[in-house]
Amino acid sequence: MAAVHEFRPGFEFDVARLEAWLASQLPVPGPLRVRQFPGGQSNPTYLLEGPERNYVLRRKPSGVLLPSAHAVDREFRVMRALGAGSDVPVARVLALCEDASVIGSAFYVMEHVEGRIFWDPSLPEVPREERRAIFRGMNEAIARLHAVDPAAVGLGDFGRPDGYIGRQVARWSRQYAGDLEAAGRIEAMERLIDWLPRHLPAREPPAAVVHGDYRLDNLIFHPHEPRVLAILDWELSTLGDPYADFAYHLMMYRLGIEAIKGLPGRDLVALGLPDEREYTRWYCERRGIAEVPHLDFYVAFCLFRLAGIFHGIRARVTRGTAVSAQARKYAAEVEKIAETGWRQAQGAGAGAGAGAGAGAGAGGT
């Protein structure tokens, strides 16, 4: 009996053509059963179930795309480099196909990593006494990433080594402007677009390989141990500011929305979890630094960036090219994220004098 494949409507492809291509590239025994994962907000992701082992395929979506978005070739490159030259936990990538005629868009295939993915940072499925260790594992994995020398693993040209925050603000401001017709105006977003470039930290830390979307649900943990086996979803990775990359997943302490589980208002002691101050100290200790400076600025920037990502998702929903069943839920959160970002900016000195380094008073929490 032929395998029954599971695709979301509009994301099907010819499995026989994929099997033929894989047979020409890898010793992948078929036939394959293909099941599309429900996530994969940007790049559709599929489980390939084989008779002997499983694989994962990530592809570009179809439809109108931004020129620099959905770069599966960059995902493949950074994962291959880190897997070969560092102790950063990544899945082993196997093959990249840039020939859109095979399944309709570029894609890559990697090994399937068996483990646990946690969607709620309060970790309700984990015993209380084990939760701190999970957070330590998450903290250790990002510290390992930021300790990598980009040039030593062949990623010295993976991005520009300076001016990361300014470029990112400009990039997401342009994307916001480009999506206005489809996604609408957001007052708090426009305040951040005005404020952030005028309050950039005066000094940047040395550039690191940054993930760009580091958060708990982009990690696969060992089935029984509190260690990360693989960091997922490298689409936004580049060379950049490690403090911004770290601050991005600190949003779990400051952002509470329906679409993304967070910790604001939760009793962290009762949950057995570290607070933000302690969690940040763990990172600093692992990196050998005294503090993460300008932390409120960095969190405001990260919330602005997340709002920009969700604003783009809203635009794709309007255009009919959103790839996730959760897209409408994410699209509804743009205003709340941007407003939270503006409150963080006010905590970092919004309204103070303009100019580079005006956010210098923003310290850790």
Side-chain angles (χ1 to χ4, degrees):
M1 181 180 295
V4 177
H5 307 298
E6 299 176 13
F7 297 98
R8 294 204 299 272
F11 299 98
E12 303 88 348
F13 57 78
D14 187 331
V15 177
R17 285 182 63 84
L18 172 65
E19 289 175 338
W21 184 87
L22 286 173
S24 72
Q25 303 290 319
L26 299 166
V28 175
L32 297 172
R33 181 190 178 206
V34 179
R35 291 193 292 142
Q36 187 172 0
F37 287 106
Q41 192 47 234
S42 186
N43 291 328
T45 307
Y46 306 79
L47 177 65
L48 311 180
E49 297 179 303
E52 297 180 8
R53 59 194 305 185
N54 297 337
Y55 307 88
V56 172
L57 179 151
R58 273 173 68 82
R59 64 179 294 197
K60 280 190 176 186
S62 57
V64 179
L65 305 176
L66 290 171
S68 62
H70 313 282
V72 294
D73 57 326
R74 285 180 62 83
E75 287 191 39
F76 182 85
R77 180 186 173 190
V78 70
M79 292 172 69
R80 181 175 60 182
L82 292 172
S86 79
D87 61 357
V88 176
V90 294
R92 188 163 76 96
V93 292
L94 302 173
L96 170 69
C97 178
E98 298 182 274
D99 180 357
S101 70
V102 177
I103 66 169
S105 61
F107 67 91
Y108 69 91
V109 176
M110 59 185 164
E111 290 187 337
H112 179 247
V113 178
E114 292 283 355
R116 298 176 292 171
I117 296 180
F118 303 114
W119 296 90
D120 184 339
S122 69
L123 300 173
E125 64 271 72
V126 177
R128 180 184 183 278
E129 62 273 14
E130 297 178 13
R131 291 173 184 163
R132 284 175 63 85
I134 294 290
F135 269 55
R136 279 195 177 274
M138 175 168 58
N139 193 288
E140 179 181 0
I142 194 170
R144 284 187 184 185
L145 173 62
H146 294 163
V148 169
D149 177 352
V153 296
L155 294 172
D157 62 347
F158 196 58
R160 289 173 54 187
D162 55 3
Y164 173 78
I165 300 295
R167 292 197 311 277
Q168 285 283 301
V169 171
R171 173 188 174 181
W172 293 104
S173 297
R174 287 194 303 271
Q175 175 160 326
Y176 170 81
D179 287 334
L180 278 176
E181 183 175 350
R185 307 190 80 91
I186 312 294
E187 181 181 355
M189 193 72 170
E190 296 184 1
R191 289 182 176 180
L192 287 165
I193 287 171
D194 173 68
W195 184 81
L196 286 167
R198 296 187 290 107
H199 293 79
L200 302 176
R203 294 182 180 178
E204 302 177 23
V209 179
V210 295
H211 181 271
D213 194 17
Y214 193 88
R215 60 179 194 263
L216 182 65
D217 55 76
N218 270 339
L219 308 176
I220 298 178
F221 281 82
H222 186 280
H224 309 294
E225 300 174 16
R227 60 186 175 93
V228 176
L229 297 181
I231 304 171
L232 305 176
D233 293 3
W234 291 85
E235 185 205 345
L236 296 174
S237 60
T238 188
L239 298 186
D241 189 326
Y243 299 157
D245 207 35
F246 177 76
Y248 183 83
H249 81 297
L250 282 188
M251 291 190 297
M252 65 184 171
Y253 285 106
R254 307 198 190 193
L255 179 65
I257 58 177
E258 183 178 347
I260 300 177
K261 299 289 187 180
L263 295 173
R266 307 296 298 271
D267 186 337
L268 300 181
V269 174
L271 289 171
L273 296 174
D275 61 18
E276 182 183 316
R277 183 185 297 274
E278 182 178 22
Y279 186 82
T280 301
R281 188 176 70 248
W282 292 349
Y283 175 79
C284 293
E285 290 170 353
R286 292 185 183 279
R287 295 295 321 283
I289 59 177
E291 63 174 350
V292 177
H294 317 300
L295 191 56
D296 283 326
F297 171 89
Y298 280 118
V299 173
F301 158 74
C302 291
L303 285 160
F304 158 76
R305 184 168 165 272
L306 182 64
I309 292 170
F310 279 23
H311 190 260
I313 292 171
R314 179 183 290 178
R316 294 204 297 275
V317 168
T318 302
R319 295 174 184 134
T321 60
V323 303
S324 169
Q326 297 295 314
R328 292 185 181 278
K329 184 181 291 188
Y330 292 133
E333 303 281 16
V334 179
E335 285 82 359
K336 194 167 188 179
I337 298 168
E339 288 162 6
T340 304
W342 179 241
R343 287 197 296 274
Q344 296 300 318
Q346 291 174 306
T365 57

